[in-house]
Structure formats: structure tokens, C-alpha cells
Amino acid sequence: MNDLHGLRFGRLLVSDEFDKRRLSNGKPTIYWLCECDCGTALWVLSQSLTNGNTKSCGCLRNEVRHNINGCKEVHGHSKHKNATKEYSAWLNMKQRCY
């Protein structure tokens, strides 16, 4: 196993080795204690760090989701979650059809 102490993966900084275990397939793995840039500490599987599956504590996903939903209309709703006039008309038309 590689030593990941002090390495950065996305927003995560590896600070300490937490635990060595065997996965269900028998392969050994290590959990690393990481600190996210937002200040959250979490334990992450070694292979999740090295293959790029885990880049933050979840704050990155929330930030990306907020930026996407806050900057443009999504499914007929404005960024304030109010239906547009066009979307309301379309929904009413569909209701009349069914």
C-alpha cells in the first residue's frame, strides 16, 4: 500500500492512517483520515482517494448542485422555485389532455 500522508485529493488533505481491513473480496485496504477544505474530517477508503471517486466531504457536490440550480431555469422553475407563466400554461394544457 502507498503512503498517502500529506497528499491532497481534490479538497481532501490526508492527515493520518485510520484502519487496515480486508474487503469482502479479500483484498487489503486502508481507511485514511482526511480533512476537507471546509473543515470537516472524514475517513475515506484508499482506493476511493486514488481513483478519484472521493474529492470532498460532500460540500463540492452541494456547491456544484447549488450553482447549477441557482443560475438557470430547471424544469420550468426559476431560480426562486416559482413556476414561469409558460411552464404553468404547459402544465394546464397537459392536465386538460389527460
Side-chain angles (χ1 to χ4, degrees), residues 58-86:
C59 64
L60 177 61
R61 176 182 44 224
N62 293 339
E63 187 176 304
V64 168
R65 185 181 305 139
H66 175 74
N67 287 339
I68 289 172
N69 290 337
C71 294
K72 59 183 175 182
E73 291 183 10
V74 178
H75 300 295
H77 295 290
S78 68
K79 61 183 170 183
H80 301 293
K81 303 297 181 210
N82 299 322
T84 61
K85 292 178 185 178
E86 293 83 5

Side-chain angles (χ1 to χ4, degrees), residues 16-64:
D16 196 14
E17 184 178 305
F18 172 64
D19 194 10
K20 294 180 183 179
R21 295 185 181 177
R22 291 207 177 270
L23 297 175
S24 58
N25 61 8
K27 291 184 179 180
T29 190
I30 296 176
Y31 284 87
W32 293 92
L33 180 59
C34 300
E35 186 172 334
C36 187
D37 289 348
C38 72
T40 304
L42 66 153
W43 294 277
V44 184
L45 281 170
S46 182
Q47 59 265 35
S48 292
L49 290 169
T50 56
N51 68 15
N53 283 346
T54 305
K55 298 176 185 169
S56 74
C57 66
C59 64
L60 177 61
R61 176 182 44 224
N62 293 339
E63 187 176 304
V64 168

